């Protein structure tokens, strides 16, 4: 860190700055400041105006500053912010307001105040929400296509050309700084740091007398930690970016933060992993920038934000939070222990607590209004009420699909390869089929295939190369099933193990009835099989468990046919969802293989 730059900068910003002020800014003694001032005067960086005890910056001092001018800022805003669910289901974390101002806008404004206007924002999740900033602040947006499954190492990788050869701030969109800590000039690379008393899980810093960071360790006690903004100097980026690029291509670094790379450079681990890189590249020079208490904030969750900004104790302006408040007749501040659950393939859900009870709130995912009839789903829940088959639903909106249900403490999903658990699950499926319950709508797989096919065609998605051939095979199966004319009963349609809960008592709950309707009951067996990625042998075993006997040839044909049709249907579903920006990896191919393979198996059955 060039301390002379900091002194010249302070004089430029305030000609009447005192040595005590500089001592605080540099975190050094008054004696050290006095020696630094003498050195700067000898180099003709500034002179002392004795008549008013102020300083005048000289051309040499300005030239020094010009070599350390900040070129711009990179703001990281690609992530989801799972600890701020449900707010971040609607709004990226950086766009949340704190004391009446959006966090990212506060940082942009602070940058503008010191003349930094070249700002690039790396976006990913809900990227469209940031578009307005282009017009309002003339920022640039850079999209990170890997934001959903990789960490900030990847974010910096995609933005590396924005940083290369430039002096740049690297900021997080969800930081909040009480005072403006940015400057037009910086003396070297630094990482903002706050002091944490007691045990902490933050990234702790070891540094030498000059403030150079020597080591980073995760977790510690009574230490200065990485907290808030960072500054990448040209020289730091020159060392750091080649290493980060190499790490990007190393297997297993997908969950890495960019700080993991820096940490391993300091520890020597990077030298071990990358022996081909010059040793000079592996000795990065970055300094600690110790900040006063209560200046930098990284809000970890909604509870912290509530304590800081009283507004969030009353209203978050979030639809789900408002709904919960109304349903349970409580203030939003009484909704606690909010936790993001793994997003389903159709919906988003989160766990929350009111008083001593926990519940799950389901929010329909994008595009589901086209795929799911919520009034029909509500009719199924109404029919099931009191039968001990489905989850206990506290609230259901047949228009929006918002659902609040009881959370079962200690419950677990069934294991598709545990025969005892699968037997219990088939008991509840059989109970449903034999219940005599009826609703006014059916699940028509022929109609659903036509529907999803039209959606895919409308959105211009390329279907499979042999689609037309396989489509004719599916029609053949549909016609054969129609001729069998099996009785229709209330069926779940989606009885995969993620929707089968085993309670501590041993009771079973079949949850999430979005596709349920009157249907051939054997379709439930088929869907359970393909969702569990069962082999033919495992599927035959599942039929025996459900039927409590060996299946007939017609029953085997029916289950195999619905497996083929179900695979075809859900492959189309996944293609359509991909057009909305949601990817499900190999799921699409696996489902399409079920369509083709089980059509062949149907053709092999002769004992019908």
């Amino acid at each position: 860190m060039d301390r002379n730059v900091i002194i010249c900068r302070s004089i430029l910003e305030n000609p009447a700055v005192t040595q005590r002020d500089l001592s605080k800014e540099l975190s050094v003694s008054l004696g050290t400041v006095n020696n630094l001032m003498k050195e700067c005067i000898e180099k003709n960086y500034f002179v002392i105006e004795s008549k008013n005890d102020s300083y005048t910056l000289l051309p040499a001092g300005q030239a020094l500053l010009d070599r350390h001018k900040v070129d711009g800022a990179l703001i990281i805003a690609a992530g989801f912010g799972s600890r701020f669910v449900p707010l971040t289901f609607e709004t990226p974390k950086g766009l949340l307001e704190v004391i009446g101002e959006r966090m990212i806008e506060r940082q942009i404004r602070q940058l503008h105040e010191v003349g930094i206007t070249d700002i690039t924002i790396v976006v990913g999740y809900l990227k469209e929400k940031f578009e307005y900033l282009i017009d309002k602040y003339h920022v640039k947006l850079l999209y990170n296509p890997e934001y959903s499954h990789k960490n900030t190492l990847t974010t910096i990788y995609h933005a590396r050309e924005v940083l290369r050869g430039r002096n740049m701030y690297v900021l997080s969109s969800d930081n909040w700084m009480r005072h403006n800590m940015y400057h037009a000039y910086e003396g070297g690379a630094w990482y903002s740091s706050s002091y944490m008393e007691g045990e902490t899980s933050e990234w702790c810093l070891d540094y030498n007398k000059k403030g150079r960071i020597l080591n980073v360790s995760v977790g510690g006690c009574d230490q200065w930690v990485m907290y808030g903004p960072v500054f990448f100097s040209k020289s730091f980026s020159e060392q750091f970016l080649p290493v980060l690029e190499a790490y990007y291509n190393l297997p297993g670094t997908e969950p890495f933060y960019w700080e993991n790379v820096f940490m391993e450079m300091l520890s020597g681990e990077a030298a071990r992993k990358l022996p081909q890189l010059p040793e000079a590249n592996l000795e990065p020079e970055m300094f600690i920038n110790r900040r006063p208490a209560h200046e930098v904030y990284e809000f970890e969750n909604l509870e912290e934000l509530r304590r800081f900004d009283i507004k969030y104790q009353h209203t978050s302006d979030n639809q789900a939070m408002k709904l919960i408040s109304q349903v349970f007749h409580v203030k939003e501040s009484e909704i606690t222990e909010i936790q993001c659950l793994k997003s389903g393939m159709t919906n988003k859900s989160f766990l929350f607590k009111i008083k001593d009870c926990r519940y799950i709130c389901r929010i329909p995912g994008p595009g589901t209004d086209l795929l799911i009839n919520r009034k029909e789903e509500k009719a199924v829940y109404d029919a099931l009420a009191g039968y001990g088959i489905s989850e206990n639903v506290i609230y259901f909106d047949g228009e929006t699909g918002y659902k609040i249900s009881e959370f079962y403490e200690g419950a677990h999903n069934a294991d598709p390869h545990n025969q005892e658990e699968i037997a219990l699950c088939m008991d509840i499926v059989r109970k449903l089929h034999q219940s005599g319950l009826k609703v006014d709508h059916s699940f028509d797989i022929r109609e659903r295939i036509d529907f999803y096919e039209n959606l895919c065609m409308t959105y211009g998605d390329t279907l499979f190369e042999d689609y037309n051939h396989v489509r004719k095979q599916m029609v053949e199966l549909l016609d054969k099933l129609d001729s069998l004319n099996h009785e229709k009963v209330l069926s779940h349609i989606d009885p995969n193990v993620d929707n089968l809960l085993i309670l501590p008592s041993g009771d079973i709950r079949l949850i999430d009835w979005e596709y349920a309707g009157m249907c051939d009951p054997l379709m439930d067996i088929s869907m359970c099989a393909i969702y569990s990625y069962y082999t033919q042998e495992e599927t035959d075993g599942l039929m025996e468990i459900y039927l409590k006997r060996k299946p007939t040839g017609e029953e085997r044909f029916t289950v195999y046919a619905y497996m083929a049709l179900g695979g075809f249907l859900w492959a189309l579903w996944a293609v359509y969802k991909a057009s909305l920006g949601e990817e499900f990896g190999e799921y699409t191919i696996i489902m399409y293989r079920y369509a083709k393979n089980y059509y062949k198996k149907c053709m092999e059955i002769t004992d019908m």
Side-chain angles (χ1 to χ4, degrees):
M1 178 73 71
D2 192 331
R3 293 169 173 174
N4 291 347
V5 173
I6 308 303
I7 292 174
C8 290
R9 182 186 73 191
S10 298
I11 287 171
L12 181 67
E13 293 173 349
N14 176 19
V17 65
T18 68
Q19 290 196 15
R20 192 169 297 279
D21 294 331
L22 291 171
S23 172
K24 185 177 179 182
E25 174 73 16
L26 292 167
S27 298
V28 297
S29 68
L30 284 170
T32 300
V33 170
N34 189 262
N35 289 333
L36 289 169
M37 297 287 281
K38 290 177 181 178
E39 179 184 329
C40 287
I41 291 171
E42 290 173 0
K43 292 181 177 181
N44 292 318
Y45 288 158
F46 55 82
V47 295
I48 303 174
E49 301 292 345
S50 57
K51 53 186 174 183
N52 56 9
D53 290 328
S54 65
Y55 304 91
T56 298
L57 195 67
L58 296 175
Q62 184 61 57
L64 174 68
L65 289 179
D66 290 342
R67 293 195 295 272
H68 292 83
K69 183 173 176 59
V70 178
D71 296 303
L74 180 77
I75 303 179
I76 297 173
F80 169 45
S82 61
R83 287 175 290 186
F84 275 77
V85 162
L87 276 59
T88 47
F89 283 150
E90 299 175 4
T91 306
K93 187 179 173 185
L95 293 181
L96 294 177
E97 285 190 4
V98 176
I99 312 182
E101 186 176 24
R102 286 179 158 177
M103 285 188 279
I104 195 170
E105 289 200 42
R106 181 180 181 85
Q107 292 193 73
I108 293 171
R109 177 177 59 77
Q110 289 174 333
L111 289 166
H112 281 196
E113 286 174 357
V114 297
I116 299 171
T117 57
D118 188 342
I119 300 169
T120 299
I121 304 173
V122 187
V123 297
Y125 173 70
L126 293 180
K127 58 188 180 299
E128 296 82 6
K129 295 279 189 176
F130 294 93
E131 196 276 339
Y132 81 99
L133 295 170
I134 297 174
D135 299 310
K136 188 170 183 179
Y137 297 105
H138 307 292
V139 302
K140 294 182 283 290
L141 301 187
L142 175 66
Y143 178 62
N144 172 10
E146 300 180 286
Y147 77 90
S148 64
H149 56 285
K150 294 185 179 181
N151 221 316
T152 60
L153 183 159
T154 303
T155 303
I156 297 298
Y157 175 83
H158 286 291
R160 64 195 185 280
E161 297 308 324
V162 177
L163 299 170
R164 201 184 305 275
R166 307 174 76 206
N167 293 318
M168 298 285 290
Y169 286 116
V170 177
L171 314 176
S172 295
S173 66
D174 55 3
N175 284 171
W176 190 90
M177 271 61 70
R178 186 178 299 279
H179 305 111
N180 192 343
M181 58 182 287
Y182 307 126
H183 300 278
Y185 309 95
E186 291 289 354
W190 53 255
Y191 206 120
S192 170
S193 181
S194 294
Y195 187 76
M196 296 289 176
E197 291 186 357
E199 294 290 334
T200 178
S201 59
E202 296 286 350
W203 295 43
C204 302
L205 299 174
D206 295 325
Y207 52 93
N208 63 19
K209 290 181 179 180
K210 291 186 176 181
R212 181 174 176 174
I213 298 171
L214 303 176
N215 184 58
V216 181
S217 56
V218 180
C221 183
D222 296 333
Q223 286 192 268
W224 288 91
V225 305
M226 290 177 156
Y227 209 73
V230 188
F231 179 70
F232 279 27
S233 64
K234 291 179 186 179
S235 57
F236 176 81
S237 290
E238 186 178 355
Q239 289 179 297
F240 179 69
L241 292 180
V243 183
L244 180 129
E245 288 170 330
Y247 263 71
Y248 175 83
N249 293 303
L250 287 177
T253 58
E254 293 82 6
F256 272 34
Y257 297 92
W258 72 259
E259 289 92 340
N260 284 102
V261 180
F262 176 61
M263 178 169 63
E264 294 198 353
M265 291 173 75
L266 294 174
S267 70
E269 181 65 14
R272 186 190 67 78
K273 289 181 177 178
L274 306 170
Q276 73 277 18
L277 288 180
E279 188 174 323
N281 274 65
L282 300 170
E283 299 176 354
E285 188 174 78
M286 179 174 275
F287 294 82
I288 186 171
N289 185 349
R290 287 171 286 185
R291 308 308 303 174
H294 310 300
E295 179 179 272
V296 179
Y297 290 84
E298 292 182 357
F299 302 108
E300 291 296 318
N301 49 51
L302 182 55
E303 292 299 325
E304 282 192 10
L305 189 53
R306 281 172 172 169
R307 289 193 292 270
F308 187 81
D309 186 346
I310 195 171
K311 166 199 167 183
Y312 287 94
Q313 295 182 21
H314 304 292
T315 177
S316 58
D317 295 324
N318 175 265
Q319 185 176 351
M321 295 292 283
K322 287 180 182 177
L323 174 63
I324 295 169
S325 177
Q326 292 167 0
V327 169
F328 290 93
H329 306 290
V330 296
K331 298 176 182 177
E332 282 196 20
S333 58
E334 296 179 58
I335 306 169
T336 62
E337 296 185 21
I338 299 170
Q339 179 184 341
C340 182
L341 298 178
K342 183 179 179 181
S343 292
M345 298 177 82
T346 306
N347 307 298
K348 300 171 182 176
S349 300
F350 65 95
L351 188 65
F352 65 94
K353 187 174 185 179
I354 293 180
K355 296 180 180 177
D356 295 324
C357 298
R358 295 208 286 175
Y359 306 89
I360 296 173
C361 180
R362 181 194 73 184
I363 300 173
T368 54
D369 54 330
L370 278 174
L371 310 181
I372 308 295
N373 186 316
R374 298 300 181 182
K375 290 181 179 178
E376 291 181 351
E377 184 186 6
K378 184 176 187 303
V380 171
Y381 275 113
D382 289 344
L384 290 166
Y387 278 82
I389 295 174
S390 74
E391 72 268 42
N392 180 28
V393 175
I394 309 298
Y395 171 88
F396 194 104
D397 188 323
E399 296 294 333
T400 65
Y402 273 74
K403 180 181 73 172
I404 300 173
S405 56
E406 179 183 351
F407 176 75
Y408 295 99
E409 301 284 353
H412 69 275
N413 293 115
D415 179 350
H417 303 294
N418 183 315
Q419 291 294 298
E420 291 183 3
E421 291 190 352
I422 289 300
L424 291 173
C425 293
M426 289 301 101
D427 286 343
I428 200 75
V429 171
R430 196 183 308 106
K431 178 180 178 181
L432 167 68
H433 294 163
Q434 296 174 356
S435 66
L437 296 172
K438 296 182 182 299
V439 291
D440 292 333
H441 63 276
S442 299
F443 181 86
D444 184 341
I445 197 165
R446 185 191 296 268
E447 179 275 333
R448 288 289 88 185
I449 288 173
D450 290 342
F451 175 74
Y452 285 119
E453 182 181 70
N454 287 333
L455 280 179
C456 291
M457 298 297 187
T458 299
Y459 280 82
D461 287 286
T462 301
L463 300 177
F464 305 89
E465 287 294 321
D466 58 355
Y467 179 79
N468 290 333
H469 174 67
V470 176
R471 180 72 160 90
K472 290 178 182 177
Q473 294 177 334
M474 297 302 106
V475 171
E476 185 181 341
L477 294 178
L478 287 166
D479 291 343
K480 179 62 177 177
L481 288 169
D482 285 348
S483 70
L484 296 177
N485 197 29
H486 288 170
E487 178 188 6
K488 294 182 178 181
V489 302
L490 182 58
S491 302
H492 186 275
I493 309 302
D494 192 21
N496 69 80
V497 291
D498 289 340
N499 290 332
L500 284 158
L501 294 183
I502 300 179
L503 278 54
S505 64
D507 289 342
I508 309 292
R509 291 293 181 271
L510 185 50
I511 66 173
D512 291 347
W513 297 72
E514 293 176 302
Y515 301 100
M518 305 302 289
C519 187
D520 185 334
L522 290 178
M523 184 179 287
D524 275 348
I525 311 309
S526 303
M527 295 301 182
C528 181
I530 65 174
Y531 288 137
S532 300
Y533 294 174
Y534 274 180
T535 63
Q536 181 179 359
E537 182 180 0
E538 289 171 319
T539 299
D540 291 345
L542 182 66
M543 282 190 266
E544 290 191 30
I545 292 172
Y546 172 77
L547 295 168
K548 295 186 175 181
R549 57 173 171 77
K550 287 191 175 294
T552 65
E554 181 175 317
E555 288 167 336
R556 287 176 63 238
F557 175 87
T558 301
V559 169
Y560 291 171
Y562 281 130
M563 289 175 71
L565 291 164
F568 190 74
L569 174 69
W570 301 128
L572 287 174
W573 177 90
V575 168
Y576 166 67
K577 294 290 277 186
S579 72
L580 302 178
E582 296 185 72
E583 287 286 352
F584 300 105
E586 62 181 355
Y587 174 82
T588 311
I589 295 173
I590 292 173
M591 290 297 108
Y592 197 60
R593 291 309 308 174
Y594 269 114
K596 298 168 81 168
N597 291 340
Y598 277 82
Y599 169 80
K600 293 177 183 177
K601 295 183 189 301
C602 285
M603 296 302 102
E604 295 168 359
I605 295 175
T606 58
D607 56 338
M608 285 185 60

